[in-house]
Amino acid sequence: MRTSDTAVTLSPSRHVVVTPGMCSGGSLLFGRIGDWTWDAVADACGMNVHAARTPAGKPAYLAFYYFHVRGGRTVHPHGLTFGDELRVTSRVFRLGGSSVITLHRLAPADLSLPDALLDPAEVYEDPYPDCLYAQNFNRWVARTETGNTGLAQVLPTGFDDADLPRLPNRYSPRALVGAARAAGAFHPAGPPGFTEAGGSHTVEYTLDVVRDLNGAGLMYFASYFSIFDTALLRLWHSLGRTDAQFLRRRVTDQRIAYVGNADPGAVFTITLHRWLHPDRPGSEAVDMALREKATDRLIAVCAVETDTGS
């Protein structure tokens, strides 16, 4: 029996029909993948993650610490449209402490795949070329007296990950994310095989309280994608590229390490570095660092590889 994209089911897969609320040239798909992550964690851990509380009774949030998406030939982040049909498979793993990691595979609905639990070896070593893969590394946090800028790691009441399988250490993103947070970039010296194209490019962005905050008053995890895309679009404009070219881009790999949150009124600087691949025309990579302008506090880092179609 087919299920809707919001149904919780014991089956490792669900059938999804792409709706207007989950596809665009922006962050809608990432938001939906995040919703699937919360659903999967709730199902795997037997708790309502949306209403989680600390032992002191304060709200606890399953915050995104790292979000990585790899686009396939057929399914890629900005390549979906109304009515496309997908088979979405998700699996949650224990990562120690108050952390979990959830793996997702978005496959064309008509692609022949085994009806089995998602194997990390497939995700990290042998992906199906037509599929999109996502990994979400989440930690439980709660606000402190300093608001959005002072989130503390917590363990909410009722959270139990003892029965979750443990992700093999060789696949853990902890070291990668830690290095990116420390350096303020995923590729401080540039991605392997790429050559630098020009100097750095910096833009400013003011936090938009209409678009960028969620219902809890925190910066919405998917809005980080929109903010980085806004900066990337400005870089494209500086190169003489058009909006139409931007909308036709094909994202093959994108990752965000979430370092902090911000309060309404925050102004950010986003510094971009761009590289080209000499052997793959149209293939380029951009590293971006989002900082709070007033304090120079690092908020997030992003790396994106794109096929520009040129």
Side-chain angles (χ1 to χ4, degrees), residues 6 18 96 98 119 127 130 132 135 139 161 163 176 264-266 284 297 303 309:
T6 56
V18 175
S98 58
D119 189 338
D130 288 311
L132 181 152
Q135 58 171 312
R139 284 180 168 177
D161 63 356
D163 292 333
L176 173 71
E284 64 183 45
R297 183 171 61 96

Side-chain angles (χ1 to χ4, degrees), residues 236-254:
W236 278 46
H237 285 164
S238 75
L239 298 170
R241 297 173 179 173
T242 66
D243 291 343
Q245 288 175 303
F246 187 77
L247 291 173
R248 289 197 300 268
R249 77 197 188 283
R250 182 172 171 271
V251 172
T252 57
D253 191 285
Q254 186 165 9

Side-chain angles (χ1 to χ4, degrees), residues 95 112 165 177 198-199 201 217 256 265 267 302:
L95 208 57
S112 179
V177 177
H201 184 86
I256 293 179
V267 177
C302 173

Side-chain angles (χ1 to χ4, degrees), residues 145-161:
E145 291 76 11
T146 56
N148 290 356
T149 62
L151 300 178
Q153 193 168 337
V154 297
L155 190 64
T157 301
F159 175 69
D160 184 3
D161 63 356

Side-chain angles (χ1 to χ4, degrees), residues 199-265:
S200 64
H201 184 86
T202 301
V203 301
E204 286 192 4
Y205 181 91
T206 301
L207 190 148
D208 187 335
V209 297
V210 174
R211 186 183 70 170
D212 298 333
L213 298 181
N214 61 22
L218 294 161
M219 281 184 67
Y220 178 42
F221 74 89
S223 71
Y224 290 72
F225 283 92
S226 294
I227 293 169
F228 283 121
D229 278 349
T230 297
L232 184 60
L233 177 59
R234 292 178 187 174
L235 173 62
W236 278 46
H237 285 164
S238 75
L239 298 170
R241 297 173 179 173
T242 66
D243 291 343
Q245 288 175 303
F246 187 77
L247 291 173
R248 289 197 300 268
R249 77 197 188 283
R250 182 172 171 271
V251 172
T252 57
D253 191 285
Q254 186 165 9
R255 58 189 73 198
I256 293 179
Y258 298 82
V259 182
N261 213 278
D263 292 314

